[in-house]
Amino acid sequence: MVRISIPTLPPGPILPPNELTRLSPTLAAAHLAEFLERGRGRTLVITGAGVSVDSGIRAYRGKDGHYANPNYKPILYHELVEDTPRGELFRKRYWARSFLGYPPVRDATPNPTHIYVAALQALGLAPNLITQNVDNLHPKAASLILSSLPPQARPPPPPSILELHGTLAKVHCLKHHHAQSRDDFQAELAGLNPIWDGEAKESERTGRRPRTNPDGDVDLPGADFTSFVVPTCRICAEEGIKSSIVKPNVVFFGETLTPHVRDTSLSLVSSASQLLVLGTSLATYSAFRLVKQAAESGKKVLMISLGPSRADKLAGVDKMERKAGDVLRTYLDEVVKTNSGPEVDAVKAVLDQGVVITPPDVEGPRAEG
Ligand SMILES: [Zn+2]
């Protein structure tokens, strides 16, 4: 059983840049080209919070590996599901904050790095992707490319994206796993909490949005959560089942991955020839162990990421301390110049469609979750 614990990275000495990190942008891209060539279309990509920072979604940790927001205490799974008055308070706090924190994540658009990863998938260079992000941005980027392909060239199965820690776009009840879209649940929350809804609309109007963490939670100093109304599962209620707790489809700290997700992630690693790891500190064990499994079985692992990571001392992991998107772009420019076909045309059409948004209260560059 892998329980997701609140990730922390032990402080370590700052190492001088290694050989890979010191490569010029062109040579870094050439190194990536050689790496993907060797993967023969079976390279598995693993991404983390660092990839979504440019979409205005804050990473948990800054460049030194510490929490970017030291006051942030994420809610734990056992608190969220506790069937007591105390648990009810935890749920009020969680959903009130999440009610305000969700719209920026819902409205976020893929940044260039999401587009580049989707391009690697569409071009068959690295068809499978595991992401630790719950922001739905990789699927959004993949559908951008898919929609610019002519219908006859669209691959029958959708691109393979495993959201290791789930997605904020859906919710389900704990008793019967009744699924609903988060947008529907958000509308239900809005209807039940008109004052909070007013606050949400006001911040949308003024653009003054509260500080949002990668899990869609916000910091709201001094807010009174006790008045927030949290609905139970609508479908259970229709069947006469009372107090059925609703939870977003994301893996909380202290929660375990479902066996299906765990097994799928392990089998994606087994069937991959090598791993390309982008924008992550691999602080959560569920992701770290995938890299460890690959490295221990002799597979090559190339990591392109800023900031310290849990895999930095792992034998067999080559790390390029760079912004992943920059290396991918230089590489893809060369790929689309020297290749042709409907997939290449589709990639060309969307390559510049990524949007960079800086989170409003970021003082300097932030990296990696
Ligand atoms: Zn239900």
Side-chain angles (χ1 to χ4, degrees):
M1 292 278 257
V2 178
R3 206 174 279 278
I4 307 290
S5 55
I6 298 173
T8 50
L9 286 174
I14 309 245
L15 300 169
N18 66 16
E19 215 174 296
L20 275 184
T21 303
R22 290 198 311 267
L23 291 176
S24 72
T26 318
L27 288 178
H31 184 84
L32 175 64
E34 221 172 89
F35 178 78
L36 288 172
E37 179 95 3
R38 230 180 5 233
R40 296 183 313 278
R42 283 170 45 233
T43 301
L44 170 67
V45 178
I46 297 183
T47 66
V51 162
S52 286
V53 170
D54 278 348
S55 293
I57 295 170
R58 303 171 59 85
Y60 285 113
R61 270 165 299 281
K63 260 192 147 167
D64 56 1
H66 295 121
Y67 271 114
N69 175 2
N71 299 321
Y72 178 57
K73 273 196 205 72
I75 188 168
L76 302 174
Y77 178 67
H78 73 86
E79 295 173 335
L80 187 82
V81 302
E82 196 177 294
D83 198 6
T84 63
R86 198 176 75 133
E88 206 178 311
L89 277 180
F90 279 128
R91 282 187 290 284
K92 282 174 185 284
R93 187 190 75 145
Y94 172 78
W95 282 112
R97 289 158 57 132
S98 177
F99 176 69
L100 297 181
Y102 175 64
V105 178
R106 174 196 64 204
D107 300 341
T109 48
N111 68 51
T113 309
H114 296 113
I115 304 275
Y116 306 155
V117 171
L120 295 182
Q121 293 195 270
L123 296 170
L125 295 158
N128 295 325
L129 165 65
I130 296 178
T131 184
Q132 301 166 74
N133 302 339
V134 296
D135 53 32
N136 201 31
L137 288 172
H138 282 300
K140 281 183 187 170
S143 57
L144 268 180
I145 294 195
L146 203 63
S147 59
S148 51
L149 268 173
Q152 67 276 16
R154 285 181 200 162
S160 151
I161 300 174
L162 179 69
E163 294 167 306
L164 194 64
H165 298 151
T167 173
L168 278 173
K170 291 173 197 154
V171 302
H172 66 268
C173 75
L174 292 175
K175 281 195 174 146
H176 293 283
H177 249 265
H178 293 131
Q180 310 182 44
S181 79
R182 173 61 193 263
D183 288 344
D184 288 350
F185 194 69
Q186 185 79 0
E188 206 178 334
L189 290 172
L192 289 167
N193 298 281
I195 293 172
W196 291 76
D197 190 34
E199 174 73 27
K201 292 210 168 90
E202 177 66 10
S203 69
E204 208 144 333
R205 194 182 61 76
T206 58
R208 272 188 303 103
R209 282 178 155 175
R211 185 169 169 140
T212 306
N213 294 301
D215 55 0
D217 198 1
V218 296
D219 290 322
L220 216 57
D224 176 21
F225 306 111
T226 53
S227 63
F228 196 82
V229 182
V230 181
T232 55
C233 174
R234 191 160 33 85
I235 305 153
C236 279
E238 279 162 17
E239 292 169 6
I241 302 159
K242 282 188 188 136
S243 65
S244 179
I245 293 168
V246 175
K247 166 187 180 295
N249 276 28
V250 296
V251 179
F252 281 70
F253 294 116
E255 187 177 3
T256 51
L257 299 187
T258 65
H260 172 71
V261 169
R262 185 200 54 211
D263 295 348
T264 309
S265 69
L266 294 173
S267 87
L268 281 169
V269 172
S270 311
S271 58
S273 54
Q274 52 178 23
L275 262 55
L276 177 62
V277 182
L278 306 172
T280 176
S281 62
L282 292 171
T284 56
Y285 187 70
S286 55
F288 171 71
R289 72 163 172 172
L290 299 175
V291 173
K292 192 164 169 274
Q293 180 198 338
E296 283 174 358
S297 60
K299 291 178 182 174
K300 291 241 172 229
V301 179
L302 174 62
M303 191 164 179
I304 310 177
S305 188
L306 288 169
S309 98
R310 197 169 175 173
D312 287 353
K313 288 191 196 125
L314 206 62
V317 176
D318 289 333
K319 186 163 174 211
M320 215 184 257
E321 190 86 28
R322 275 175 183 275
K323 210 172 162 195
D326 297 346
V327 186
L328 290 176
R329 179 60 194 246
T330 311
Y331 165 68
L332 284 167
D333 277 342
E334 197 53 39
V335 171
V336 297
K337 225 189 286 168
T338 50
N339 290 276
S340 59
E343 288 84 7
V344 174
D345 291 341
V347 166
K348 267 191 207 162
V350 300
L351 217 46
D352 289 321
Q353 283 186 23
V355 179
V356 175
I357 294 171
T358 314
D361 56 350
V362 165
E363 318 80 67
R366 292 238 191 264
E368 325 319 16

